[in-house]
Each structure stands twice: as C-alpha cells, then as structure tokens.
Amino acid sequence: MESNFTPREIVSELDRYIIGQDDAKRAVAIALRNRWRRQQVPVPLKEEILPKNIILIGPTGVGKTEISRRLAKLAKAPFIKVEATKYTEVGYVGKDVESIVRELTDLSVKMVKEEAAHRVQVKAQEVAEEKLLDLLVPKPSKRAEDISETADGTREKMRQMLRAGKLNERYVELKSEGPKGVFPMIEVVTGGSMEEMGMNLKDMFSQMMPQGRDRKRKMKVPEALELLAQEEAYKLIDMDEVLKEGIHRAEQSGIVFLDEIDKVAVGREGGRYGPDVSREGVQRDILPIVEGCTVMTKHGLVRTDHILFIAAGAFHASKPSDLIPELQGRFPIRVELKPLTKEDFFKILTEPANSLTKQYIALLAAEKIKIDFTEDALAEICNIAVLVNEQMEDIGARRLHTLMEKLLEEILFEAPEKSGQKLKVDRDYVHRRLNSIVKDRDLSRYIL
C-alpha cells in the first residue's frame, strides 16, 4: 500500500527527477496523501471519499508522464500508462476501455506475487539447496550406518563447495515440474478484444494440458539452484491470498495514467460527424470506469471507485471543456504545466539523479572512457534546444535526447578504439557537431 509520505516529502522526491512544474507536483502530492488519509477514516465514511482525479495540461516533453511514473514508484502502487487513442467505442474494432482495469489488475497481482515470493525466499532457497544436493550426492541405502555417515560427510562437503561457488561449472540433469498449483485450473474468460480473448484461452488451455511441464533439462548448478528456488517459492505461496490482495491493491491503490486525452475530445468546430462520433463514444465508455463500476477480470470482480486517474494532454486543437460534461466533472483538479525554458533545460542536464549527462558518463565508463562536459558546452546545447523547439515543433525536454545523441554519435561509435582515454566536450565541439545542422532548417527537420 502507499507509503506514509507527507506532501512536502513527495514534492522533494519528485524534485530529484523532475525540473520545475511545481503546481503539478503539489497537486499529485496532495492526491497521493489524500489516499493515505482516506485509509485512516472510519469505514462508513471511508467508502464515500472518492479520489480527486487530475488533468495535466501542457505540451509534450514537459514532464506529465514522468510525474505520474515517479508518483507510482513512490507510492509502490500498481500503475499503468495507457493512451486514450488506442481505445475505441463498443462496436468498433480495437481495444475496449475495460482492458485498462484488466491490465491494472494483472500488474497488481504480479506485484503481490513477487512480494510473497520474496518473503519465502530464504525457506525456498534452503529446500532448493537440499534438492540440488540430492542430485549431486544421491542418498545411499540404509543397510550400513558407516556408509550413511560417510555419505553425510560427503554431503556436507558438497554443501560447502556449493555455497563457495566451486560447483558453478558442473552440470546437473533437472526434472522441471513448473509451479504447479500456482494458478487456478479454470479461469473466467473475460470479454474484450479478440486478441485478449485469444491470450486468455491460450493461458487456460496451457494450464489444463500439463504434459509439457515435466521434462528433464541439463543445466549448470547455479541455474538449477535458481530454478528450484523459484519453484519452491511458488509452492509456498498462498495464491488465494495473493489474488485477494492483488485485487484489493488494484482497487484501493491503483493509478491509471490516461495519456492523449485531448485526442478524444470533440472540438466545437467541424460539428460532430465522422470520426468525432467514435471519439465521443470513447469518452462515454471511459466515463463508467472513472465514475466507478465493477469490471470482470480473470482474477475476479474489480471495483474502480477508488482508482486514481491522471489524464494528460497537450490540448493544442481542443480544450478540456471540449470533453463531455460528465467526464469533465470526474476530473476536478486541472493543472497547467509550463513550457520549459533554457534555464530548465540546463537544470535537466545537470541536476536530476538520472540526468542525461550522468547517463552518458556511465555508458562511456563501460568502455573505460572518462568524458567531461564543460558548463559552456551544456549551456550551448540548451541554447540550441530552445532554438530548434522554436523553429520546429516544441517537443520540450525530448529535444535534449535528440541533440545529445547527435552530439555524441561519433564518440559513441569510436568508443571501443578509444578505451582508456579522457575526452572533453566543450562549446567548440558542440558548435562543430550541431551548428551546421541547426542552420540548415530543411536538414534539421529530418535529423533533429
């Protein structure tokens, strides 16, 4: 469930990865804290407190998706990112909106299952070790005690060698049984697209036809130990509890990031004909899920009343008010994200824990190359990013990814031959690599 972070702590954590956009950070921090507050409310009123869904409005590349992704990691909550344009109105070919809830539930169950496996990992490792030793040192017959004592001594020596890694190159023949009993034999095949139904049927029949599970495989000792530990962990897990907790977590902690919501908004101009009918249909199909309904999944029934929805869109050709009124009412919090400035770009390149410069320094360190970016070089990259965004489509911070890759293309290609060298990227180097492309507008449209 969600960690007990204060709004200020949430914003502080988001600041480590996202530059600017203070209003958006505050809005999502309050929304996350309100979910924890709701858990402390007595039951009769608790069910009445619904999440305050958010619409993030701003151009591409300003941090909308990253805010939601980091929020989900911070909350340790099931999180999925979906694009509104991939869904179609009921009756049209394409994904139905209920698959959003099914995907979220699948992810939630997977999270809980991994946590449960981690909790029993020590015990599973012990059992796996004993099974592996049975393969390495077969148990003797019980006729002679002295033989038994010798076998025990040999077994202990093998155990010490196994733990010391001295048997890592040895092969064993392992009968892989697979995690039997982990999933129920009969599942509900839910509705949805033909692709989803096909996947569900395939899963169901694979469980009902276990002939491919019991097979002998020859593998190295470490791989065998890992596989045995995994199988034993699955046997120790109570899957009924996992499914119950997975559904509960999806219902109470799930976060859905609904991107490109503006693409299904119907503009006032042009009437409501042609594809606009389908767009409005998608909105009407999304509405019950955001409003609160019960969706059938292969794990069971899932209520969507308390799932937090964060929608995002650039809203270039439309406005939030172009969404159907019922859907607008389900997104009471609206935050406008600001376009990024040159100063923001510089901070993005230098301050975050996962900044682009740190990523490239780490990548080239793998080739034993030490690369240094001078301050004036980074400033020049930011100047070019702003200029190119003004001349062409403004794609925000994503422009920095394109520029940095083009800037370092030669170094990255020749890196294996320059192992052990120290390289400096200064303002002159940036000019040589990027200025000719920036000046030629027609060329930059294709490259940048």
Side-chain angles (χ1 to χ4, degrees), residues 339-357:
L340 297 172
T341 64
K342 183 171 68 176
E343 290 73 22
D344 291 331
F345 282 153
F346 189 82
K347 289 178 181 177
I348 288 168
L349 285 177
T350 56
E351 291 184 8
N354 62 337
S355 70
L356 273 177
T357 50

Side-chain angles (χ1 to χ4, degrees), residues 189-205:
V189 180
T190 56
S193 65
M194 292 301 294
E195 182 184 358
E196 287 174 328
M197 289 184 69
M199 289 173 67
N200 285 334
L201 284 168
K202 184 179 177 182
D203 288 345
M204 188 174 76
F205 283 121

Side-chain angles (χ1 to χ4, degrees), residues 281-300:
V282 173
Q283 293 183 58
R284 295 199 180 280
D285 287 347
I286 289 173
L287 180 61
I289 294 175
V290 179
E291 206 168 32
C293 67
T294 303
V295 176
M296 173 62 77
T297 73
K298 66 181 180 182
H299 305 295

Side-chain angles (χ1 to χ4, degrees), residues 345 348-350 355-361 363-364 371-374 377-382 384-385 397-412 425 429-430 433-434 447-448:
F345 282 153
I348 288 168
L349 285 177
T350 56
S355 70
L356 273 177
T357 50
K358 291 173 186 173
Q359 290 178 30
Y360 280 108
I361 288 168
L363 285 172
L364 288 166
I371 188 165
D372 179 42
F373 295 90
T374 64
L378 296 177
E380 188 61 23
I381 292 168
C382 297
I384 294 171
R398 291 191 177 93
R399 185 71 67 189
L400 292 173
H401 289 262
T402 313
L403 288 172
M404 289 291 284
E405 194 65 25
K406 189 64 188 171
L407 175 70
L408 300 174
E409 182 181 38
E410 189 177 315
I411 293 173
L412 291 166
V425 175
Y429 184 83
V430 174
R433 293 292 301 164
L434 299 179
I447 296 178
L448 300 179

Side-chain angles (χ1 to χ4, degrees), residues 235-284:
K235 289 176 185 177
L236 293 167
I237 292 172
D238 184 345
M239 272 308 290
D240 289 335
E241 284 299 315
V242 167
L243 293 175
K244 184 179 175 183
E245 174 60 24
I247 290 172
H248 177 74
R249 194 175 294 190
E251 289 179 336
Q252 303 299 321
S253 307
I255 299 174
V256 174
F257 182 72
L258 195 57
D259 203 5
E260 296 187 354
I261 192 72
D262 56 316
K263 302 296 190 301
V264 296
V266 182
R268 298 299 177 193
E269 66 284 348
R272 292 177 181 270
Y273 300 98
D276 286 349
V277 177
S278 177
R279 286 191 215 165
E280 189 167 313
V282 173
Q283 293 183 58
R284 295 199 180 280

Side-chain angles (χ1 to χ4, degrees), residues 56 58 60 64-65 80-87 256-264 286 310-314 398:
L56 301 177
T60 184
K64 301 188 296 292
T65 307
I80 60 165
K81 175 185 179 290
V82 298
E83 294 176 4
T85 51
K86 288 188 176 178
Y87 298 91
V256 174
F257 182 72
L258 195 57
D259 203 5
E260 296 187 354
I261 192 72
D262 56 316
K263 302 296 190 301
V264 296
I286 289 173
I310 302 175
R398 291 191 177 93

